[in-house]
Amino acid sequence: MVKKDREKKEAIRMRKQGKTYSEILAKIPVAKSTLALWLHGVGLAEKQFQRLTEKKLAGARRGGATKKKQRIERSKRIIDTAQREIGILSERELFLIGTIIYWAEGAKEKSYRPGQGIDFINMDSRMIRLFLSWLIEICKVPNNMIGFETYLHTSHAHRIEDIKKYWSRTTGFPINRFSIVRFKKHIPKETVRKNTGENYYGSLRIKVSRSSTLVRKIAGWTQGIVKSI
């Protein structure tokens, strides 16, 4: 009984110092329910309360960091496995993929706008590379028929030369093919944009001269895909 009294007094003393239950139990090995009973009603000074709060926050941050690391590792495993499932694309697979990409993102011929040529715009460099591969390898479009226009927010006008170099590296075309730049007015109060840092390179528009026949073929390929489903 004397031992229990000593342990209780020590537990109360440690609690008033701002120690956590875990820290107290590490030194006084009693049941947690017993410790809770002993410490019921034990007040904490502001300094001790602040210590407990900071330890809880630190613990939460450690737990959050661990969960984030686990999520990143789990995501990487999923992505790596999925990537291996694709393997090497056949020519026909690339043909179908490019057709679907243009169906989703490219300009189409309309009754009120006949003669529409290839007109495709995107800001994802991977999408741009894939579409160009499709144009050149599958559709056999000569390089000299392919033109580029860059669309940028005016807030990035000072980076224009770096952005031209970026799209030149992305596409494999010489930098002098990226002389046309269209600026979009940036209105911060009306839009909340996250792609505003140094990794922003605008959007690249790809146009092909004398390509209305190809646009009509794509329309037919698209109809064929839909019909086969």
Side-chain angles (χ1 to χ4, degrees), residues 30-78:
V30 295
K32 191 172 182 179
S33 57
T34 300
L35 183 62
L37 186 64
W38 287 352
L39 301 181
H40 179 70
V42 175
L44 294 172
E46 184 175 347
K47 183 178 179 180
Q48 281 70 38
F49 179 78
Q50 181 66 26
R51 179 182 182 276
L52 284 178
T53 301
E54 289 174 354
K55 285 187 72 68
K56 287 180 180 179
L57 288 173
R61 283 193 291 267
R62 286 194 299 272
T66 299
K67 288 181 179 179
K68 181 180 179 180
K69 182 181 178 182
Q70 291 171 344
R71 175 179 56 78
I72 291 172
E73 291 174 349
R74 185 168 61 250
S75 296
K76 186 178 185 305
R77 286 196 299 270
I78 293 170

Side-chain angles (χ1 to χ4, degrees), residues 133-173:
S133 294
W134 178 76
L135 274 182
I136 296 167
E137 297 174 23
I138 303 299
C139 300
K140 308 302 180 185
V141 174
N143 285 10
N144 61 3
M145 291 179 63
I146 300 174
F148 302 99
E149 296 179 6
T150 305
Y151 285 75
L152 285 178
H153 283 275
T154 52
S155 56
H156 288 265
H158 64 287
R159 298 178 55 231
I160 184 61
E161 292 307 316
D162 286 339
I163 288 169
K164 287 180 182 179
K165 290 176 183 176
Y166 170 80
W167 287 118
S168 176
R169 290 194 304 271
T170 295
T171 62
F173 281 74

Side-chain angles (χ1 to χ4, degrees), residues 78-91 93-94 97 130:
I78 293 170
I79 292 170
D80 289 346
T81 300
Q83 179 179 319
R84 288 193 294 271
E85 290 173 352
I86 296 299
I88 304 299
L89 292 179
S90 67
E91 187 173 302
E93 287 168 338
L94 180 57
I97 290 170
L130 180 58

